[in-house]
Amino acid sequence: MKTMIFCEGTTDLLMIQYVLQYKYGWHYNGFLENAETNRLRKKTLKRDTDIVDIESCGGIMNIPKRMQELHEQIQNTTREEELVNKVIILLDHDTVSSNREFLDKINEKIGTYFLEEDINVLRKWAVDNDFLESTELDIYIKCLPESEVGAIESIMLQALDTDSIESKIIQDSRQFIETEAENQDRYLQKKSLVSKAIVNTYFAIRMPEEKYDERARILKAYNWEENEVLNDSFAFLNI
């Protein structure tokens, strides 16, 4: 079985990787970087004969284009082993309007009719193939947090809050960023961006140099298997 996971950014990619690795027993099997920015673009994990590709798309509105490319790939493949069985799209919970705009773009790019009620629900996606029999994929558009507006990073903040020192750094980072967001109208005007800024401020304190291998090292040290915050939010990755 092959699963494709599309997410917005590198931090999302790392979170997904570690949940799969350290909770669900997947094994790291390689990566792809952006040649211009040297940032992670894709990671591959394996478990027995199953494969998961996690791709960072660089923002929510880049995901529809990547879905269009996947759609064309499935339509034109001549080998069954190259087919994808499941697609997971992981989104920040920005606003209702942003989710609607995203779905409109997805539907435009791949010819589907997904509605807002299809978010956080496992659905089927039928794709015609020019050489093989038509295939039906599982597709799961997951929006986090589910019950409130915010970014996936807000869940990470809860997961990183493991002792009094980490809690103090997170609280101070949150207070600083939220104060800046309230006192001007140029930056941080979306709640999801506030969550991202808090996480990045936290990591800037932990490691002032912007190195994603160091961020990965910090994340790797946490108990991903037993972290209840992650267990509640990322159970959909038990694939």
Side-chain angles (χ1 to χ4, degrees), residues 70-110:
L70 177 63
H71 186 215
E72 293 171 354
Q73 173 190 325
I74 295 171
Q75 284 181 312
N76 296 315
T77 187
T78 59
R79 302 170 59 187
E80 290 190 5
E81 57 267 30
E82 294 178 351
L83 292 174
V84 174
N85 306 100
K86 186 171 188 176
V87 177
I88 297 173
I89 299 172
L90 186 58
L91 308 174
D92 291 333
H93 193 169
D94 290 343
T95 62
V96 172
S97 62
S98 68
N99 290 342
R100 188 182 303 115
E101 291 170 8
F102 172 77
L103 290 176
D104 288 344
K105 201 67 175 178
I106 282 281
N107 291 332
E108 174 191 333
K109 291 292 186 182
I110 64 175

Side-chain angles (χ1 to χ4, degrees), residues 10-26 90 144 152-153 155-162 199 202-203 206 214-235 237:
T10 305
T11 301
D12 305 338
L13 185 155
L14 290 174
M15 286 185 68
I16 296 167
Q17 175 195 348
Y18 290 132
V19 172
L20 288 171
Q21 267 189 273
Y22 301 115
K23 180 168 178 58
Y24 295 119
W26 291 81
L90 186 58
L144 288 177
I152 296 167
E153 282 82 356
I155 295 173
M156 175 179 281
L157 287 172
Q158 298 175 46
L160 294 173
D161 191 351
T162 55
V199 168
Y202 167 83
F203 277 115
R206 290 287 308 268
E214 285 298 303
R215 183 174 292 202
R217 181 187 61 78
I218 291 172
L219 293 174
K220 185 177 178 180
Y222 284 90
N223 187 343
W224 294 86
E225 184 174 359
E226 297 180 8
N227 191 302
E228 288 305 316
V229 173
L230 298 175
N231 289 345
D232 290 342
S233 298
F234 289 90
L237 290 177

